[in-house]
Amino acid sequence: MQGGKGVMAASRAEKGKQRSELGTRTMSSIVIAAVVLFGINYGGILWAVIASLIALKSLDEYYRLISRKGSRVSPGMGYIFSLIFLIAAMKESAQPIILAMILSLCVFFVMTIEIFRRQKTKGTSNVIFNTGGIVSGILYITVPWVCMIMLGNYAFGRQILMTIFFCTWACDVGAYLGGKKFGNIKLCEHVSPGKTVQGFIFGIIGSLIANAASIYFFSFPEYLMFIGFVCGIAGQVGDLAESLIKREAGQKDSGTLIPGHGGMLDRFDSILFNGLLTYLILRVLLTK
């Protein structure tokens, strides 16, 4: 009898802990959403600064993760050239070719450092992993945030940015609720055991609903419905991609900055692919 009471007490304690974690997670999400939406609505330098801070902190977490795999990287070089990227994106005249040249210049500097390192240490260098690690971080994290800064320069740019975030968040909620209620088929159990096919489908539905609402309220042209598909599919792939990185690094979270969420990269992993692809598609459509 006493054993049964102990089990019930433990069960209640576990449920209480889950409710507390959910409350913390919800509160953190509200604060983050408020900051992001305020920054987008204000636009200009404020949005660029907020996006840059998120990008640089996410980049820091990424470099820490890959360093756990034994890859020696020079994070300072990644921060410097990411900052150059982000500053260049604040200028309306920034051209993709200029950004590509900045990335190429980053590779040149890293290789130069490795030349001196090998000469000084008489035979020890790390050019392959150092270059690959630094550049992959810039491409994976900085470039998508650069795209989201430059999106603000478009007609309806702020509304498009809000739509991307609304769709991403709606996808997360739809995937969570749909997976919890109906999920019984594992989607990618060796990468993220909690993800289900049903959750993936409900995530897409949630994103499409948010996209349809944005088109109605912002009076967007109907072709912008593609944003819902991008955020519903690519966003969930982005979430899985970050889970893959953490599994290879042997880490549960990318950091501890955000209560209930982990690190900055944990919170914004889905938005990376969404912002990148939306910007790319809009560039193609608007240049026709």
Side-chain angles (χ1 to χ4, degrees):
M1 194 71 175
Q2 291 180 348
K5 289 182 179 179
V7 171
M8 291 177 62
S11 178
R12 285 195 296 268
E14 182 63 26
K15 289 181 179 179
K17 181 180 178 181
Q18 290 177 355
R19 283 194 295 269
S20 177
E21 290 177 351
L22 180 60
T24 301
R25 186 180 179 88
T26 301
M27 185 58 65
S28 296
S29 297
I30 291 172
V31 172
I32 290 171
V35 171
V36 168
L37 294 178
F38 178 77
I40 292 173
N41 186 61
Y42 192 89
I45 189 67
L46 179 61
W47 168 238
V49 169
I50 291 174
S52 297
L53 290 174
I54 295 172
L56 291 172
K57 179 55 182 172
S58 299
L59 188 67
D60 174 65
E61 293 172 357
Y62 175 76
Y63 286 151
R64 290 176 186 274
L65 285 173
I66 64 173
S67 293
R68 293 182 64 87
K69 288 289 291 182
S71 300
R72 292 180 58 191
V73 296
S74 303
M77 194 65 65
Y79 304 146
I80 290 170
F81 279 92
S82 288
L83 192 58
I84 294 173
F85 254 90
L86 293 160
I87 292 173
M90 297 178 193
K91 299 181 180 296
E92 294 185 12
S93 59
Q95 296 294 321
I97 186 63
I98 299 298
L99 300 179
M101 290 169 64
I102 293 172
L103 184 62
S104 183
L105 191 61
C106 174
V107 173
F108 170 78
F109 271 98
V110 174
M111 289 183 170
T112 301
I113 289 173
E114 291 298 332
I115 290 171
F116 282 105
R117 176 178 292 166
R118 191 171 187 87
Q119 181 64 22
K120 184 177 180 180
T121 59
K122 299 179 179 180
T124 301
S125 60
N126 195 40
V127 66
I128 296 174
F129 289 111
N130 200 8
T131 305
I134 291 173
V135 172
S136 66
I138 294 174
L139 292 175
Y140 172 45
I141 295 169
T142 308
V143 170
W145 281 106
V146 164
C147 291
M148 285 184 276
I149 292 173
M150 293 195 296
L151 267 174
N153 298 329
Y154 281 91
F156 296 107
R158 297 178 187 178
Q159 293 89 337
I160 290 172
L161 281 168
M162 287 185 182
T163 300
I164 294 172
F165 280 93
F166 287 149
C167 289
T168 302
W169 294 333
C171 177
D172 289 344
V173 172
Y176 174 76
L177 295 178
K180 188 173 182 180
K181 181 69 175 178
F182 304 105
N184 56 18
I185 302 175
K186 296 294 184 181
L187 176 68
C188 211
E189 66 272 21
H190 297 297
V191 176
S192 184
K195 297 287 191 299
T196 63
V197 173
Q198 291 85 351
F200 189 86
I201 294 171
F202 272 88
I204 296 174
I205 294 172
S207 180
L208 290 173
I209 291 173
N211 196 184
S214 294
I215 287 176
Y216 176 77
F217 286 110
F218 292 140
S219 300
F220 281 157
E222 293 181 358
Y223 72 79
L224 288 181
M225 196 67 192
F226 80 84
I227 296 176
F229 286 100
V230 167
C231 294
I233 297 173
Q236 296 191 75
V237 174
D239 187 19
L240 288 168
E242 201 237 352
S243 294
L244 180 63
I245 294 169
K246 290 188 293 186
R247 285 204 169 274
E248 290 194 6
Q251 291 289 98
K252 182 179 182 295
D253 297 314
S254 66
T256 58
L257 181 66
I258 306 174
H261 289 278
M264 194 68 76
L265 185 56
D266 292 319
R267 189 65 189 89
F268 291 97
D269 53 1
S270 298
I271 205 72
L272 297 175
F273 289 175
N274 294 344
L276 177 67
L277 288 173
T278 299
Y279 177 78
L280 176 62
I281 294 171
L282 283 175
R283 285 279 299 185
V284 172
L285 288 175
L286 292 177
T287 52
K288 284 185 176 181

